Amino acid sequence: MAGKRQARVSYRGVSRKRRRTITEANEVAKHASMLTGRAKTRLLAATRYGPAKQRTAFMLQKTAAHICHYWSKTAPTFRIPSAKIGQLAKRSKPSKADKAHATKVMYEMADWESDAFSAKFVDIDGNLLAAYFSNRLITTEKPLEATYIGSPQTPSQLHRSVHDLKNAQADNTVRLAFDGIPSDIVEDALYASQVLHHFLLAYPDDFKIYQKAFDAGVWEVADPGPWLGRAIVWKLNVLPHRDGLDGGPTAIFCLGHFSGGEAYLTDLKLKLQYRPGDVLIFRAGDLYHAVGPWKAEGGITARGITPGRVGNEGWLDEKHSWRHLANF
């Protein structure tokens, strides 16, 4: 690629007939992990961020750490009395009956108001169920602690609806902060250096477990971690489900140009606005979740991307990593 260094692999001792170009992802990863010496050094040099990108990533991480610190100190905490994570986690997966129930609940919530502000949602015992990084009112008052009982008007009753957000944005006397990923960073795909701070502040103990697995399994030096599992959900509908392979918290966020696409946590009767740049971290293996219907808006971008909704998620495999490291 023009302007970038290329990694050269030594073929010393290998006949020309046995040399071949490898393009399949798993094979590339396997052969890259086997490199040693100068070949490995060249590969790392070719895949590492350049100096300018490194400086940008460093500044973004500092900004993200600062924002997440204030989220940790000032975001409201809502207790959901009907939820107990231990009981929810014990349910068998997959379960047709539970999935059907979650789908029914989602359709019942379709006309409910969406919650548009940052928050920590905890169960009856105070265990964190979900951390939502979105819009936050800047105030000197003590962080709100209240009960959150899901209903069609709950966001309005707590002054957290989309309508409340629009009023706050139009009021020059109200100061707002955004705890998610700024739009310019999302569009420039520099979000990987951001979300790890959201995870670290929301789930510090789980972060340590993820980091152990990441340090042992990572080979792409430009990846800040701590997720070994990553997925891009490219313009697909996401119906109610639990992630069967996930152990511990999963981080999700979206980007694109669309309307709709709210996040549903049906076990909690929670509906979040979930706009591009918003970050939601929750136990996706234990809680049923879905994304509401969405409609693409706008035309083709300057980079040639068609409109629509693109989801991103990071997780840790339960069977091979989470269970072992959680008790390590």
Side-chain angles (χ1 to χ4, degrees), residues 191-211:
Y191 41 74
S193 62
Q194 297 272 298
V195 184
L196 67 91
H197 291 283
H198 296 84
F199 185 27
L200 173 61
L201 267 296
Y203 293 89
D205 293 335
D206 295 300
F207 181 89
K208 295 176 182 177
I209 297 173
Y210 279 52
Q211 195 64 53

Side-chain angles (χ1 to χ4, degrees), residues 64-86:
H66 178 77
I67 292 172
C68 293
H69 172 76
Y70 278 97
W71 174 90
S72 178
K73 297 294 183 183
T74 63
T77 299
F78 294 105
R79 190 179 302 272
I80 300 179
S82 61
K84 197 166 186 177
I85 191 60

Side-chain angles (χ1 to χ4, degrees), residues 16-255:
R16 287 187 176 275
K17 290 184 178 181
R18 294 181 59 191
R19 301 178 190 179
R20 62 191 179 94
T21 301
I22 301 170
T23 58
E24 201 279 321
N26 289 334
E27 287 294 309
V28 170
K30 182 176 74 173
H31 283 77
S33 66
M34 295 167 60
L35 294 177
T36 59
R38 294 182 65 187
K40 182 176 181 179
T41 300
R42 287 170 177 165
L43 174 67
L44 295 178
T47 57
R48 186 176 292 116
Y49 281 148
K53 194 74 96 174
Q54 285 181 349
R55 287 193 295 270
T56 301
F58 175 73
M59 293 305 298
L60 291 177
Q61 287 191 38
K62 287 189 66 175
T63 302
H66 178 77
I67 292 172
C68 293
H69 172 76
Y70 278 97
W71 174 90
S72 178
K73 297 294 183 183
T74 63
T77 299
F78 294 105
R79 190 179 302 272
I80 300 179
S82 61
K84 197 166 186 177
I85 191 60
Q87 295 177 351
L88 293 170
K90 288 179 181 178
R91 295 176 296 179
S92 61
K93 56 181 180 180
S95 166
K96 290 184 178 180
D98 288 343
K99 187 175 182 179
H101 176 71
T103 302
K104 178 175 180 291
V105 172
M106 176 184 172
Y107 285 128
E108 291 173 349
M109 297 172 64
D111 295 328
W112 288 21
E113 295 175 340
S114 300
D115 195 304
F117 289 86
S118 295
K120 307 167 188 174
F121 297 95
V122 302
D123 69 3
I124 193 171
D125 297 321
N127 299 306
L128 186 60
L129 296 166
Y132 187 42
F133 298 83
S134 186
N135 304 281
R136 174 172 47 84
L137 292 174
I138 299 176
T139 176
T140 57
E141 298 179 3
K142 183 179 178 181
L144 174 67
E145 294 186 10
T147 298
Y148 198 104
I149 300 177
S151 73
Q153 286 81 38
T154 297
S156 288
Q157 293 168 355
L158 295 170
H159 307 291
R160 296 176 53 83
S161 69
V162 175
H163 180 70
D164 293 313
L165 173 61
K166 291 179 179 179
N167 287 340
Q169 291 171 335
D171 189 343
N172 293 329
T173 64
V174 176
R175 298 176 61 201
L176 282 170
F178 184 64
D179 296 323
I181 308 171
S183 59
D184 56 335
I185 297 174
V186 169
E187 293 296 331
D188 201 28
L190 290 171
Y191 41 74
S193 62
Q194 297 272 298
V195 184
L196 67 91
H197 291 283
H198 296 84
F199 185 27
L200 173 61
L201 267 296
Y203 293 89
D205 293 335
D206 295 300
F207 181 89
K208 295 176 182 177
I209 297 173
Y210 279 52
Q211 195 64 53
K212 286 180 183 178
F214 183 78
D215 290 342
V218 67
W219 67 273
E220 170 54 76
V221 296
D223 187 349
W227 297 276
L228 281 178
R230 293 180 182 272
I232 296 177
V233 184
W234 185 262
K235 302 178 183 179
L236 298 176
N237 293 320
V238 182
L239 299 176
H241 68 286
R242 293 164 67 196
D243 293 311
L245 297 179
D246 291 18
T250 295
I252 65 172
F253 62 95
C254 63
L255 58 147

